[in-house]
Amino acid sequence: MAASLLRLHFHDCFVNGCDGSVLLDGGEKNALPNLNSARGFEVIDSIKSNLEKACPGVVSCTDVLTLAAREAVYLQTGGPYWSLAFGRRDGLTTSETAANEQLPGPFEPLENITQKFAAKGLDTKDVVVLSGGHTLGFAQCGVVKPRLFDFAGSGRPDPSLDASFLQTLQSTCPNRNESNSNLAPLDASSSKFDNVYYKLLVNSSGLLRSDQALMSDNVTGSMVVGYSKFPFLFYKDFGASMVKMAGIGVITGSNGEVRKNCRVVN
């Protein structure tokens, strides 16, 4: 579940801050980036119910998700460890509209994605580093197929895709509607935290259009090349960017609440 928990944490923090709003039923769960793809809610529910037995009303759902994402990356996938502060409170609202507007999408140009990161206090380096979270997990074929068969309405594949990688993807994601829910790995070692994601981008073999777009810009492209050569630099920088992300718009003190059940406000 590491990739799913990491993505859930990212999707929480990018919509009105890290406030556990993605965990509330309705709202953000129904937004296009989350509907039928966000996973891991049961893991958070299970952790929270155990915590409520041990120390009721103390640990927020937001802190549970923040720590679960770190532990999953560190313990399950061999990824880096990053130190976290705690004491986040849970928000009281969730917004489908905000999620649709604020989350970066796989079809967006790099410029738009960079702007969405900047709006959260994250810089270009954070864009490149946090995109490296795609070293883990899968994407649904429905998101990938436009690149494979009808790039930008051309009726042809994306010309920037490596030819042999294109063939592999077309067999995983054939041009039929029923293949939309098939899964394609985001990198060649999708359950292991490593720098293969960046090596693939250098070889024009990024799965998502938004990933490969990192190579279209001199600044982000040079960072990608650097991380493809120096995995430990990526691990260190990933932890630093995750700490920044986990601090976006947090609620503290007497604001918000500590939810008893992560799916509903108290």
Side-chain angles (χ1 to χ4, degrees):
M1 293 299 291
S4 297
L5 291 168
L6 180 61
R7 183 171 184 256
L8 209 54
H9 177 37
F10 173 76
H11 281 209
D12 181 35
C13 292
F14 256 66
V15 183
N16 300 330
C18 310
D19 62 354
S21 54
V22 75
L23 303 172
L24 288 170
D25 285 339
E28 290 168 41
K29 285 185 180 179
N30 297 328
L32 283 172
N34 293 324
L35 193 64
N36 299 323
S37 70
R39 298 167 64 242
F41 299 109
E42 295 77 11
V43 176
I44 303 304
D45 289 339
S46 170
I47 296 167
K48 179 63 173 169
S49 70
N50 284 327
L51 274 167
E52 285 303 302
K53 288 172 196 157
C55 46
V58 177
V59 184
S60 69
C61 296
T62 313
D63 273 351
V64 170
L65 177 55
T66 303
L67 183 57
R70 200 243 354 241
E71 293 301 276
V73 168
Y74 178 61
L75 296 173
Q76 286 191 312
T77 73
Y81 180 95
W82 55 94
S83 294
L84 288 164
F86 297 105
R88 295 165 194 77
R89 307 265 288 177
D90 294 321
L92 304 174
T93 59
T94 178
S95 168
E96 181 179 345
T97 306
N100 281 326
E101 289 172 353
Q102 295 175 30
L103 285 169
F107 306 114
E108 285 191 82
L110 181 60
E111 183 184 5
N112 290 28
I113 292 172
T114 304
Q115 285 170 357
K116 287 185 174 182
F117 272 69
K120 306 297 175 188
L122 301 174
D123 58 25
T124 303
K125 182 179 179 181
D126 297 314
V127 173
V128 178
V129 171
L130 292 174
S131 294
H134 286 169
T135 177
L136 302 173
F138 296 80
Q140 294 187 19
C141 283
V143 176
V144 181
K145 285 190 333 193
R147 289 191 78 199
L148 310 183
F149 302 104
D150 188 21
F151 180 68
S154 66
R156 292 190 299 277
D158 182 346
S160 70
L161 265 173
D162 174 78
S164 64
F165 183 56
L166 172 64
Q167 279 189 313
T168 303
L169 284 180
Q170 286 177 332
S171 66
T172 304
C173 303
N175 197 13
R176 298 190 302 271
N177 283 342
E178 56 266 30
S179 75
N180 283 350
S181 58
N182 290 6
L183 296 178
L186 282 159
D187 93 355
S189 55
S190 60
S191 61
K192 183 166 175 269
F193 195 99
D194 53 30
N195 69 332
V196 168
Y197 166 83
Y198 296 107
K199 294 178 180 180
L200 291 172
L201 296 187
V202 172
N203 291 325
S204 302
S205 299
L207 182 65
L208 302 179
R209 183 175 168 182
S210 53
D211 288 331
Q212 196 58 51
L214 294 173
M215 288 301 291
S216 66
D217 175 87
N218 287 341
V219 175
T220 57
S222 66
M223 290 183 201
V224 168
V225 171
Y227 291 135
S228 76
K229 293 176 178 171
F230 302 108
F232 292 106
L233 180 65
F234 166 48
Y235 298 176
K236 179 177 75 70
D237 288 350
F238 187 81
S241 288
M242 286 299 292
V243 169
K244 281 175 76 173
M245 190 186 84
I248 297 171
V250 296
I251 304 170
T252 56
S254 59
N255 295 319
E257 65 181 17
V258 174
R259 266 179 237 148
K260 295 182 176 71
N261 174 348
C262 294
R263 294 173 182 264
V264 290
V265 295
N266 292 345

